[in-house]
Structure formats: structure tokens, C-alpha cells
Amino acid sequence: MSSAAARVVLASGNRGKLRELSALLAPLGLSILPQNDFGIESPPETGSTFVENALIKARHAATRTSLAALADDSGLEVDALGGLPGVRSARYAGEHATDRDNLEKLLHALAAVDRGERTARYQCAMVFVSSPDDPAPLIAAASWEGTLVAAPRGTGGFGYDPIFVPLGETLTVAEMPAERKNALSHRGRALAKLRAALTTRLAGR
Ligand code: IMP
């Protein structure tokens, strides 16, 4: 990526993630443009891992815009459900499910699970490609361990945040200030790793 091409398309249509990633990327000095600005729809997420899906999304956005692209793929793995909803987190209750639908389905699935067995983790894979055929995509991943409470609490964040209490915390993520979530979260820490790799790559070009 040349310095004149410091525009990066963000391959996400999820407004909660866009808000978080824009705040996290602000200090990087790159101009981040959501793919919606280019009329790009998200491609089908056909991968079986978070990394595969993030690569699919980043390459798709880079192909359609001829810009560098950044994508993340994330989800919640629930131990009592054998890792579900995992890569299907956004579509857990159906193809066009809302966050509310997904949350309700998960609460229903966990109704008979004891408190001590409601362990879960958020996972995030973050990918940067400088072009659609970038031979060395930058890939970073992080997870965030926690437990799931039985009744939703708080109005912040998005997705499963009203029932996710991170390890060592007492508040759900939806009850935390956004800055605290960004400092601790799977997405915030994956992005910090990616930012370090990106800084190294930009310095070496
Ligand atoms: P993706 O857009 O395919 O990466 O799907 C991500 C989905 O995982 C979201 O729609 C949420 O259901 C869930 N998810 C990922 N990260 C978070 C988070 O930080 N808070 C709450 N839910 C999340």
C-alpha cells in the first residue's frame, strides 16, 4: 500500500462493529471507509473458521473497490453447546435474524444449563489485505473469556453483550462504557495486534 493510498475499506455492514472499529482505528491515521459507501453487500460467509470468513470478506471488498481492505469475523462460542453458535453467531436464529432473535434463542438453549457451566468466549479474527491478491495477508486473532447470565442487562454494545460477563468482571458488556469494552474485547485486542503488524509492514515498504 503506498502512502497516497492510505484509504482502507472496512468490510463490514454490522453497525455495532463499525462503530467500535472506527473508534479503534481513529489513531492509525488511515482513512477508513465502510463498504456500504461503495454499495457493496457482504459476501456469503462460507468458511468454517473465523479466519477463513474474515479473508473472504476482506478479499471481496478489496476486489470491488481496488483499495486495501480490513475485515473481521467474530462470534460467541458456548461450551455447553459444543462451541455454537460460533461462526454462525450472526445467523444463529436464521438468515435475517436480529440481535434480539439470536439472544433469545441462546437464552432458550441455555435454560437448563447450570450457572457454573455457562462458560463462553468471544472470538475475533481480523484480516488486512493490501489488494485482492495480496500474497501475505496480515492476520490477527484474540478471544475474550466469560460467562453467560440468564437475564439480559444493559443497553450498550450489541449482539450477545447483554448476557456476557467477562472473566474478572461483574458487569455485562452491555453495562460497560464503550471505552472499557474496546480496551478489553476480543475485537479491540485483535485489532491492536493487527495494528502492530500493519505498522511494521508500512515501515518496511
Ligand atoms: P460476523 O459479522 O459474521 O462477524 O458476526 C458477528 C456476530 O457475532 C455478531 O452479529 C454477534 O452476534 C456476535 N458478536 C461478535 N462480536 C460481538 C461482540 O463484541 N458483542 C456481541 N456480540 C458479538
Side-chain angles (χ1 to χ4, degrees):
M1 193 174 61
S2 76
S3 53
R7 298 195 308 158
V8 176
V9 60
L10 192 54
S12 176
N14 177 313
R15 276 194 267 156
K17 288 204 300 196
L18 273 176
R19 199 169 47 238
E20 289 182 10
L21 286 172
S22 299
L24 289 161
L25 286 164
L28 209 60
L30 297 172
S31 166
I32 308 297
L33 307 163
Q35 67 178 10
N36 289 355
D37 287 4
F38 299 87
I40 301 173
E41 297 291 328
S42 294
E45 294 178 23
T46 50
S48 56
T49 66
F50 296 108
V51 170
E52 281 178 90
N53 282 336
L55 272 169
I56 289 169
K57 290 190 255 190
R59 286 179 175 143
H60 178 75
T63 302
R64 297 287 303 277
T65 58
S66 302
L67 293 175
L70 179 73
D72 92 320
D73 195 61
S74 54
L76 181 71
E77 290 177 348
V78 180
D79 292 325
L81 303 178
L84 290 175
V87 290
R88 295 196 50 82
S89 291
R91 295 159 282 149
Y92 184 43
E95 233 15 81
H96 302 289
T98 63
D99 280 358
R100 182 88 223 161
D101 299 332
N102 289 329
L103 187 65
E104 275 168 16
K105 177 168 177 180
L106 184 57
L107 285 174
H108 189 70
L110 290 176
V113 177
D114 286 346
R115 217 170 137 185
E117 285 164 24
R118 290 167 158 256
T119 49
R121 72 204 50 75
Y122 280 132
Q123 296 276 15
C124 177
M126 189 86 55
V127 165
F128 174 88
V129 293
S130 56
S131 64
D133 53 0
D134 184 346
L138 298 179
I139 299 174
S143 58
W144 199 15
E145 298 286 335
T147 56
L148 302 173
V149 292
R153 301 192 325 240
T155 55
F158 67 98
Y160 302 96
D161 286 345
I163 60 167
F164 187 84
V165 177
L167 207 61
E169 305 284 321
T170 51
L171 299 179
T172 68
V173 176
E175 293 174 307
M176 288 180 178
E179 307 74 53
R180 180 148 183 83
K181 175 179 181 183
N182 288 343
L184 299 176
S185 80
H186 51 316
R187 188 167 303 101
R189 285 180 301 106
L191 187 62
K193 289 186 200 175
L194 192 79
R195 238 163 37 187
L198 192 53
T199 306
T200 306
R201 178 181 286 190
L202 292 174
R205 77 170 177 241

